[in-house]
Structures are given as C-alpha cells and as structure tokens.
C-alpha cells in the first residue's frame, strides 16, 4: 500500500498541519516508509490471536477506576495561565461562527 | 392507518432514528475529579485533564460506568463486560484535547428495546442499537464580543451517554413519544436529570423519506435539537424539505443540518466532506474497560421501579385506568405525590383529585409537582375529611381552593371558616320545613306528580344552608317530608 500526494495533503489538512507544496514529496516518502514497516508486520501469522489495542492484553490488567468524588478543579487561574488570550475567566478565541 | 406526508407524486413514508446525548448524573467527571455541577463560575470546575494539558492521564469514574450499566439494564439491553475507549479526532475551540474520548468499535451497552405509548392508546417497540460513554465538550459563547468567542471548559469532560435508536420511528409523534419515554426511563433510573433546557439531554435526529415498499433512501442528520416539541417539528420540516428535493428531480445529499426554531425549517450546517472523517483509533491512555458480571447483577438488583412496572402496578393494585396510570407515572415526582395521597385511601378518588384539581392548580399558579401548591399530606387530609363526612364534595372543592391560596391545612380552614358539613338531622329538618312552607305551591305540584321538582327543593335547602348540608341527609329528609 502506498499513499498518493492527494492523500498526503488530505491527511495534513485533517491534522491541521500546514504542508508546503515542496515538502509533499518528502513527507509522502516518509509515510510510505512507515506503511512499508506495517506491511512487514502484516506478514506475521496471527490466526487465533486476540487483537490487542495497546500494551495491556485483555484480562491481565483491567482499567483502574476512581471513586465519584470531587478532588480537582477550582484552579481557573492555573488553567487559564497559558491561554494566548483570555476574557475575564473565559478563554478568548477568534470568533467561531457556525 | 400509518403516517404519511402527501407530495405531488403521492404519499411519502418517514424513517426516523434518534441519537440522544444524555448527561450522566455524577459528582465528578468521566475521567477527572472535577465537579459536574451546572452553572458554576467559568472554568472553575476544570482539571488539567479536562483542559487537555500535556501528560495528563485520564482515570475513569466508577459511578459513571455504573450509571451506563443501569441505563442499559433499564433499556432491556445487553451489557458488554468488555468494552473500549477510542479517540474521535476533530478540531473545535471547545475541545481542548483535539479529540473526544468515546467508544466507537466496542460500546459498553449493545442492543436493547423500549416500548413507546401513542395517542391512540397503542404501543410500539423501538429498537436500541447501542449506548456508549463519552466526554462532553466545553461551552462556546458567541454573543459576548464582536470578534471573539468565549470558551468555558466546565462541561468539558463531563460524562455523556450517547443512546442510538434503530431507524424504527415512522412519524413525528413516534419520535416525540420515544424521546418522552427515554427521558422518563433515565429520570426514573436517576442516571440523567433529563433537563433539556439546561442541555442535559439533546437529540440528533436522522430523517429520510421513501415511497411505500422501498428500502432506505439517503438520510440527513438534524443536530442538537433540545426539546421534545422541536424534535417533532424538525422531523416534519426535514421530511417536507426532502420530499420537495426528490419531487423536483433532485437528490438528497447526506449532510448535517440545524433546525431553525424561529423559522421552523432546517438548514445546512457543514458540507465539508472531511467533516465525518474522525480517524477513530483506540485511546492508548486507557486499558480496556472490563467489568464483572457479579457487579452488573448487583446493580440490577438495586434498580428502582421503572415506569412500565409502576404503571402496571397502579392498574393492578389501585384499580385505576391504564390511561390514568400512564399520566400519573409520566414524571416520577407525580407518581410519588400520587402514592402519598392514595396510600390507605380511595385510590381512584385520589387519582381524580391529583389529575383534576391539583394539576389545574399547578397550571394556574405556575408551580410544579416538585413544589406543589398543596402538599400531598394536605390533599390526603382533605380526602379524609370527605371520607368521614365532614365535607361534601362541593365543600371540599372550596376548601381546596383556599388551601391553594393560603397553603394552610384543610382541618384548620374548615374550623376557621365554619365550613363543616351539617350532619345534624334536626337542623336539616328545620331548614327543610322552612323551605317547604315558603314553597307550598311547588310542594303541591310535586305531590301531584311533577317529580322533577325534587332537585329544586334540594337546591333551595342547600342554598339556605350555604352549601353545608350533608347531601345524603338532605335527600333523605326531603324524601320523607315530601312523601
């Protein structure tokens, strides 16, 4: 499997990454290299093996859970500290018009 | 007769499915320890997890999982002991992570079903496709500044249940009845407060139209409809639009639309073909969600009585009609009120008073069953005063009105205003003697066969007694004296 340049541009657009035209070919080559590695992995016979989504096979460690208790929040100044723009206790962003 | 909309080319059927987002009742958020309470100061209930800070790890709230399981059980649905969270990737200013943690491939709840009640008294079963847990986004305010939107992340990360129905509904009424029933079940379970005004419940409505006997045509999704009435209106408006498109030789494109409540039409929201490319993948921060069957069994054993069960019990134990039982169980607060009044009393009479006088008083005083103008205990006491003969039905209505006005207990009102029914036969006889003496001509007419005049004598007697005569005794004494 290999990606054409149109798909590379589309993936970049979906990820909101600006991709100058002269870099498309280079990125295409890199992504196809990665896909090549994945194709190698596909060659391994996994018949009868449960698919695994992450480094935690089913049943070995279930998801830990927290109790339904309020233990966080009340830190608006810290949450807003890195905001490029704020309006009072709100984040300010360029107008999002629907 | 099934519902159709008449077009130029003949009747069209509607096919409707609903995706309902229901905010889970919990103290803390789905993956963080920040509070969920509505209406707090902006960004005061936000943890670093909810704000999408780098390196923050989500840890699931057990109660949110329990609420999803309870809801699944209430929808007669399959509970999946193994489920998983995926990332749904999209960019929006109120989604700080750049993705929503959701369940795409493996939801916690699978197929189920609920029965809906229709106006004509019939019921219909609507299939549930799935229910999954996901994070809510933050809130954007667009009207506070000419060039900026304001973002409040208090809602970011609050647990939502997305409940997806099968495309089983065929009319606006069925869509409304489905949402009504779903809301009722969630409120009985206590898993969602069902407050559509505050946005705790919102619906995405999928609509398509077709000719009888056809398969499905292309559907459109009307997003974020926030009342049952608007859902019904949006279904009809969108169906009419699609019929017009098909009949003018066009093709309905699959797209997301918004319902303009002011103009009663739907309009296109986003047409970008990328909009639905969410590039789901398993969230690497979260291991699979594995729960025990024994825990599910415990939750099941502790479920409260559901609307269908309660309605059946009212018909069976209280002997009221299925319709009355339906009305009294629509809201769990109404059911609780009714049971408090009916307990140990005439249950049918209690139903009549709650559905008649009480509902009317609530409407008139613009209150609610949660904060009623007359408490259940006081209404019960009023019924007791009728049962022991202190008050006639007519006097009881008067006392009830005073109760609504003053909020006082019926016993006090009866005493203060001397409204007590006269059951002293001697006193009644004295009044009747007077009435008969004054109307000697009518007495003669009555005795010569004009039976209808009996009502006249009852009326005159009651009038003379200011309505306080015991009706049964008045009748009895009159019959005796006129014989």
């Amino acid at each position: 499997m290999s990606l054409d340049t149109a798909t590379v541009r589309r993936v970049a657009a979906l990820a909101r990454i600006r991709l100058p035209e002269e870099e498309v070919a280079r990125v295409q080559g890199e992504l196809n290299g990665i896909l090549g590695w994945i194709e190698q992995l596909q060659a391994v016979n996994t018949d009868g093996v449960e698919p695994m989504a992450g480094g935690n096979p089913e049943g070995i460690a279930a998801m830990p859970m927290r109790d339904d208790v309020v233990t966080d929040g009340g830190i608006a100044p810290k949450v807003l500290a890195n905001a490029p723009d704020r309006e009072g206790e709100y984040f300010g962003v360029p107008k999002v018009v629907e | 007769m099934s519902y159709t909309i008449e077009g130029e080319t003949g009747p069209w059927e509607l096919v409707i499915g609903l995706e309902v987002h229901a905010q889970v009742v919990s103290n803390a958020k789905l993956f963080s320890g920040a509070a969920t309470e509505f209406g707090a100061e902006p960004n005061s209930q936000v943890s670093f997890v909810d704000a999408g800070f780098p390196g923050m790890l989500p840890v699931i709230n057990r109660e949110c999982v329990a609420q999803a399981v309870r809801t699944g059980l209430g929808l007669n649905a399959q509970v999946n002991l193994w489920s998983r969270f995926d990332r749904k990737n999209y960019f929006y200013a109120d989604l700080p992570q750049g993705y929503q943690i959701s369940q795409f491939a493996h939801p916690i709840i699978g197929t189920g079903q609920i029965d809906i009640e229709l106006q004509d008294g019939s019921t219909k079963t609507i299939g549930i496709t799935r229910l999954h847990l996901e994070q809510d986004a933050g809130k954007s305010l667009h009207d506070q500044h000419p060039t900026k939107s304001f973002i409040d992340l208090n809602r970011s990360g609050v647990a939502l249940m997305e409940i997806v129905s099968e495309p089983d509904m065929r009319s606006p009424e069925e869509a409304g009845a489905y949402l009504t029933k779903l809301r009722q079940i969630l409120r009985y379970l206590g898993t969602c407060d069902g407050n559509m005004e505050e946005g705790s419940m919102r619906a995405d409505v999928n609509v398509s139209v077709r000719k009888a006997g056809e398969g499905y045509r292309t559907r459109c999704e009307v997003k974020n409809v926030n009342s049952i009435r608007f859902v019904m209106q949006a279904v009809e408006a969108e169906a009419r639009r699609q019929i017009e498109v098909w009949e003018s030789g066009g093709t309905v494109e699959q797209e997301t639309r918004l319902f303009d409540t002011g103009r009663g039409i739907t309009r296109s929201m986003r047409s970008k073909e990328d909009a639905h490319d969410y590039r789901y993948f398993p969230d690497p921060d979260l291991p699979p969600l594995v729960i025990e069957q024994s825990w599910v069994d415990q939750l099941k054993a502790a479920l409260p009585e559901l609307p269908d069960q309660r309605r059946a019990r009212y018909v069976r134990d209280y002997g009221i009609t299925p319709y009355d039982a339906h009305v009294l169980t629509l809201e769990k607060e109404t059911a609780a009120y009714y049971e408090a009044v009916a307990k140990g009393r005439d249950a049918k009479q209690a139903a009549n008073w709650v559905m008649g006088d009480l509902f009317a008083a609530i409407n008139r005083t613009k209150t609610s069953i949660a904060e009623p103008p007359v408490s259940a205990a006081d209404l019960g006491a009023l019924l007791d005063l009728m049962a022991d003969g202190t008050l006639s039905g007519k006097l009881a209505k008067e006392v009830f009105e005073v109760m609504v006005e003053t909020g006082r207990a019926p016993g006090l009102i009866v005493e203060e205003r001397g409204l007590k029914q006269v059951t002293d036969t001697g006193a009644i006889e004295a009044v009747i003697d007077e009435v008969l003496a004054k109307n000697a001509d009518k007495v003669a007419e009555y005795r010569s066969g004009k039976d209808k005049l009996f009502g006249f004598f009852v009326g005159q007697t009651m009038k003379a007694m200011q309505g306080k005569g015991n009706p049964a005794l008045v009748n009895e004494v009159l019959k005796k004296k006129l014989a």
Side-chain angles (χ1 to χ4, degrees):
Chain A
M1 183 191 172
S2 74
L3 301 177
D4 58 19
T5 52
T7 307
V8 171
R9 285 193 200 93
R10 181 154 182 272
V11 169
L14 283 171
R16 300 293 193 277
I17 293 172
R18 183 179 297 130
L19 190 62
E21 198 51 40
E22 62 269 23
E23 285 187 35
V24 171
R26 181 177 60 80
V27 172
Q28 181 186 20
E30 287 175 2
L31 288 176
N32 280 331
I34 294 168
L35 289 174
W37 280 105
I38 292 169
E39 252 159 52
Q40 274 191 39
L41 292 174
Q42 302 273 34
V44 178
N45 184 352
T46 55
D47 290 351
V49 180
E50 280 286 311
M52 197 173 106
N56 182 22
E58 176 189 356
I60 291 181
M63 185 186 284
M65 298 199 204
R66 68 162 75 233
D67 290 332
D68 184 28
V69 178
V70 175
T71 56
D72 209 338
I75 48 168
K78 285 184 177 174
V79 166
L80 289 158
N82 295 315
D85 184 14
R86 53 184 281 191
E87 291 285 339
E89 297 298 287
Y90 291 100
F91 292 91
V93 299
K95 194 149 203 147
V96 190
V97 183
E98 190 56 72
Chain B
M1 188 60 195
S2 57
Y3 179 93
T4 53
I5 292 180
E6 199 64 29
E8 283 169 18
T9 59
W12 292 82
E13 289 180 6
L14 276 58
V15 178
I16 307 150
L18 258 62
E19 291 169 24
V20 174
H21 290 89
Q23 206 174 84
V24 172
V25 172
S26 65
N27 299 316
K29 294 183 180 179
L30 180 56
F31 291 113
S32 86
T36 59
E37 209 174 313
F38 182 81
E41 289 297 304
N43 291 307
S44 65
Q45 295 175 170
V46 182
S47 76
F48 293 145
V49 177
D50 314 316
F53 277 38
M56 294 295 114
L57 276 177
V59 179
I60 202 163
N61 180 335
R62 185 191 313 273
E63 177 62 11
C64 295
V65 178
Q67 294 286 52
V69 171
R70 289 182 189 112
T71 306
L73 294 168
L75 301 175
N76 312 299
Q78 173 201 339
V79 176
N80 296 322
L81 299 181
W82 191 97
S83 64
R84 196 186 70 198
F85 287 91
D86 302 287
R87 289 186 180 179
K88 178 181 180 176
N89 298 279
Y90 67 96
F91 290 98
Y92 203 75
D94 55 24
L95 186 78
Q97 290 168 145
Y99 56 85
Q100 177 191 35
I101 305 179
S102 182
Q103 295 189 301
F104 182 61
H106 299 278
I108 185 164
I109 303 294
T111 56
Q113 60 183 56
I114 62 176
D115 292 331
I116 60 170
E117 287 82 34
L118 301 169
Q119 291 288 336
D120 64 5
S122 65
T123 61
K124 177 172 177 175
T125 301
I126 305 295
I128 303 288
T129 313
R130 57 184 281 159
L131 175 156
H132 68 253
L133 279 169
E134 62 185 24
Q135 297 175 300
D136 206 345
K139 192 171 79 179
S140 306
L141 290 91
H142 301 299
D143 55 358
Q144 306 286 307
H145 191 281
T147 59
K148 292 179 194 175
S149 293
F150 291 1
I151 309 291
D152 172 12
L153 297 181
N154 279 349
R155 213 177 57 193
S156 170
V158 169
L160 292 180
M161 297 179 282
E162 178 171 327
I163 303 162
V164 183
S165 84
E166 293 289 311
D168 285 348
M169 288 153 271
R170 295 287 176 269
S171 68
E173 188 205 347
E174 289 182 13
Y178 169 79
L179 197 53
T180 302
K181 187 62 180 283
L182 183 60
R183 178 173 176 275
Q184 185 191 24
I185 291 171
L186 297 179
R187 283 170 45 78
Y188 268 66
L189 288 167
T191 58
C192 171
D193 68 20
N195 190 331
M196 300 191 77
E197 275 165 28
E198 287 179 4
S200 313
M201 233 182 127
R202 21 196 217 274
D204 298 343
V205 188
N206 285 288
V207 181
S208 65
V209 296
R210 66 178 178 190
K211 294 286 191 174
E214 280 184 357
Y216 297 138
R217 295 199 186 196
T218 308
R219 65 185 160 86
C220 288
E221 182 180 15
V222 186
K223 276 270 186 203
N224 263 331
V225 188
N226 64 359
S227 85
I228 291 167
R229 191 164 54 93
F230 288 154
V231 163
M232 296 169 68
Q233 289 174 4
V235 165
E236 188 175 345
E238 177 57 15
R240 289 192 185 282
R241 183 192 71 86
Q242 291 181 16
I243 290 168
E244 214 173 289
V245 171
W246 289 120
E247 291 194 333
S248 63
T251 306
V252 170
E253 303 289 340
Q254 182 163 350
E255 61 173 351
T256 305
R257 301 180 67 85
L258 278 179
F259 182 56
D260 183 331
T261 54
R263 296 161 65 198
I265 56 166
T266 69
R267 56 184 167 84
S268 190
M269 187 169 159
R270 28 170 127 111
S271 51
K272 283 175 293 178
E273 68 275 20
D274 288 348
H276 287 289
D277 194 343
Y278 292 126
R279 292 151 296 141
Y280 283 99
F281 65 90
D283 191 316
D285 285 342
L286 292 163
L289 175 57
V290 183
I291 57 177
E292 301 285 333
Q293 183 61 46
S294 57
W295 188 49
V296 175
D297 293 341
Q298 268 176 39
L299 293 171
K300 186 170 189 173
L303 281 188
E305 187 181 40
L306 287 164
D308 287 351
Q309 299 164 338
R310 183 165 295 177
R311 206 175 55 223
R313 178 165 63 82
Y314 282 9
V315 173
R316 188 182 64 234
D317 295 354
Y318 290 150
I320 62 176
T321 65
Y323 175 79
D324 288 358
H326 169 71
V327 172
L328 289 168
T329 53
L330 269 179
E331 301 282 344
K332 64 176 181 178
E333 290 83 1
T334 310
Y337 187 104
Y338 169 65
E339 284 195 36
V341 177
K343 198 171 181 187
R345 302 195 177 93
D346 180 338
K348 280 180 150 171
Q349 191 186 33
N352 290 338
W353 274 85
V354 171
M355 294 170 56
D357 302 83
L358 180 75
F359 281 7
I362 285 173
N363 280 337
R364 207 170 55 239
T365 55
K366 296 188 171 56
T367 49
S368 71
I369 191 74
E371 287 165 23
V374 169
S375 73
D378 282 350
L379 180 54
L382 182 68
L383 264 53
D384 290 341
L385 289 174
M386 280 194 284
D388 70 11
T390 306
L391 289 176
S392 64
K394 186 164 170 291
L395 276 178
K397 302 247 173 206
E398 282 174 32
V399 172
F400 182 79
E401 292 312 317
V402 180
M403 291 163 71
V404 172
E405 266 169 49
T406 64
R408 310 198 61 171
L412 284 173
I413 294 167
V414 167
E415 217 142 287
E416 279 172 4
R417 311 209 170 189
L419 289 171
K420 203 167 170 249
Q421 182 169 262
V422 177
T423 49
D424 172 357
T425 316
I428 292 174
E429 278 184 353
V431 174
I432 286 178
D433 285 342
E434 214 170 298
V435 168
L436 296 187
K438 263 195 220 158
N439 298 284
D441 50 337
K442 297 256 176 20
V443 174
E445 280 180 53
Y446 177 84
R447 290 207 169 115
S448 63
K450 214 169 168 190
D451 290 351
K452 278 184 188 151
L453 278 171
F454 189 75
F456 167 81
F457 294 119
V458 173
Q460 290 299 309
T461 308
M462 283 306 222
K463 196 175 159 195
M465 299 185 74
Q466 284 141 357
K468 284 182 274 182
N470 176 304
L473 281 179
V474 168
N475 274 313
E476 195 186 308
V477 175
L478 264 173
K479 277 208 178 112
K480 203 171 66 192
K481 300 242 173 208
L482 285 166

